Amino acid sequence: GFGCPGYYASIRGTASDEKLRRVPKIGMHIVLLGPPGAGKGTQASILAEHFDVAHVASGDLFRKHLGESTELGQLAKGYMDKGDLVPDDVTISMVLDRLTYSDASSGYVLDGFPRTLNQAKALDGALIESGATVDVAPLIIVSPEELVRRLSGRWICKGCQSPYHEVSAPPNQAGTCDLCGAGLYQRDDDKSDVVRSRLDTYESQTSPLIEYYENQGKLVKIDGQRDVDDVTQGLISALGR
Ligand code: ADP
Ligand code: ADP
Ligand code: ZN
């Protein structure tokens, strides 16, 4: 795994074993699983920085399209407003395209994708083509009451989309992003009726992925109901297995 010294030695090509040097594709490919509000975005951004890989969040990509009023943005809005999933075909092509950008060449932390079995299979297919696989799929576990508490107090940066929480993770200066200085807003779909529908969507369409990755031996369960730093430590040690 990533935690063992030999891994980095092998990808740098310093290992003497020829077999290790023939690893076709270097990189870290992490799928963060968990319901809306579990802390995927928060953790994905920390992990991406820590391991110097890309943070790819499908929800952020859709919100960018929405902000730019692209055709895809208009289409996605109808689903997002109701807490439904955007159809697989457009979601898969949007995310797989994003994964070809140069910042993702040494790997990525996926946040919010895959959310269906079709998406998971499409990701596996794309990875196999480049000689790689999903390395680990950590599942961040948080109680339903805490999910609702987190979503109802969430504020998002208009500039860089970093998440804050009015109680557990407030910005240094009210209403302003610590990282880029832009203003914060509350997402329309974090209002209570849509939250319920998103949690139902997760149960019916996304939770089957737990078994999918478990069968591949890639699932690691992480207690998400702790301080952000403790969850990060749990994730980093899971990635190093
Ligand atoms: P997701 O991407 O899974 O929907 P976020 O990372 O956006 O989740 O987190 C949801 C909300 O919960 C945000 O307001 C965030 O600041 C807050 N949050 C994230 N992790 C924790 C934590 N460990 N403890 C308390 N609040 C958290
Ligand atoms: P959260 O993690 O808080 O649930 P996201 O920002 O990941 O929210 O997603 C917001 C919305 O964007 C989802 O409710 C859904 O409508 C759409 N969406 C995001 N990712 C996907 C995906 N992989 N497949 C289909 N729809 C998605
Ligand atoms: Zn910001």
Side-chain angles (χ1 to χ4, degrees), residues 58-71:
S58 44
D60 288 355
L61 296 175
F62 282 130
R63 279 184 293 278
K64 192 157 177 282
H65 277 279
L66 249 161
E68 293 166 0
S69 281
T70 67
E71 210 172 299

Side-chain angles (χ1 to χ4, degrees), residues 57-104:
S58 44
D60 288 355
L61 296 175
F62 282 130
R63 279 184 293 278
K64 192 157 177 282
H65 277 279
L66 249 161
E68 293 166 0
S69 281
T70 67
E71 210 172 299
L72 176 57
Q74 318 256 351
L75 172 90
K77 184 173 169 24
Y79 297 94
M80 295 170 81
D81 284 349
K82 286 189 279 186
D84 292 338
L85 295 184
V86 180
D88 278 339
D89 53 351
V90 291
T91 302
I92 289 167
S93 58
M94 174 184 74
V95 175
L96 294 189
D97 175 67
R98 171 66 185 85
L99 297 182
T100 65
Y101 290 17
S102 62
D103 70 326

Side-chain angles (χ1 to χ4, degrees), residues 160-209:
C160 69
Q161 312 218 45
S162 295
Y164 293 87
H165 191 277
E166 55 195 27
V167 179
S168 63
N172 294 326
Q173 198 191 324
T176 307
C177 178
D178 293 348
L179 302 176
C180 77
L184 307 183
Y185 74 103
Q186 285 189 292
R187 279 168 47 180
D188 283 338
D189 63 345
D190 278 346
K191 314 246 156 82
S192 66
D193 51 327
V194 188
V195 163
R196 222 163 331 176
S197 142
R198 285 160 60 208
L199 294 174
D200 289 347
T201 300
Y202 174 80
E203 281 309 321
S204 59
Q205 302 195 57
T206 306
S207 68
L209 294 185

Side-chain angles (χ1 to χ4, degrees), residues 35-42 111 150 154 163-165 168-169 224 226-228:
K40 298 181 300 298
T42 300
D111 156 17
R150 288 186 183 182
R154 173 159 69 179
Y164 293 87
H165 191 277
S168 63
R226 297 176 287 171
D227 288 349
V228 169

Side-chain angles (χ1 to χ4, degrees), residues 122-238:
L123 174 65
D124 282 349
L127 278 164
I128 285 168
E129 248 171 61
S130 61
T133 55
V134 169
D135 299 297
V136 192
L139 170 65
I140 305 180
I141 298 170
V142 170
S143 72
E145 307 78 63
E146 174 68 7
L147 292 176
V148 170
R149 202 191 65 79
R150 288 186 183 182
L151 293 172
S152 63
R154 173 159 69 179
W155 290 75
I156 303 285
C157 173
K158 283 178 194 147
C160 69
Q161 312 218 45
S162 295
Y164 293 87
H165 191 277
E166 55 195 27
V167 179
S168 63
N172 294 326
Q173 198 191 324
T176 307
C177 178
D178 293 348
L179 302 176
C180 77
L184 307 183
Y185 74 103
Q186 285 189 292
R187 279 168 47 180
D188 283 338
D189 63 345
D190 278 346
K191 314 246 156 82
S192 66
D193 51 327
V194 188
V195 163
R196 222 163 331 176
S197 142
R198 285 160 60 208
L199 294 174
D200 289 347
T201 300
Y202 174 80
E203 281 309 321
S204 59
Q205 302 195 57
T206 306
S207 68
L209 294 185
I210 297 170
E211 200 187 331
Y212 180 81
Y213 287 111
E214 195 157 42
N215 289 342
Q216 298 185 6
K218 292 176 179 168
L219 192 82
V220 187
K221 292 180 180 159
I222 303 289
D223 174 7
Q225 206 142 321
R226 297 176 287 171
D227 288 349
V228 169
D229 291 349
D230 293 334
V231 179
T232 303
Q233 282 317 308
L235 284 163
I236 288 177
S237 62

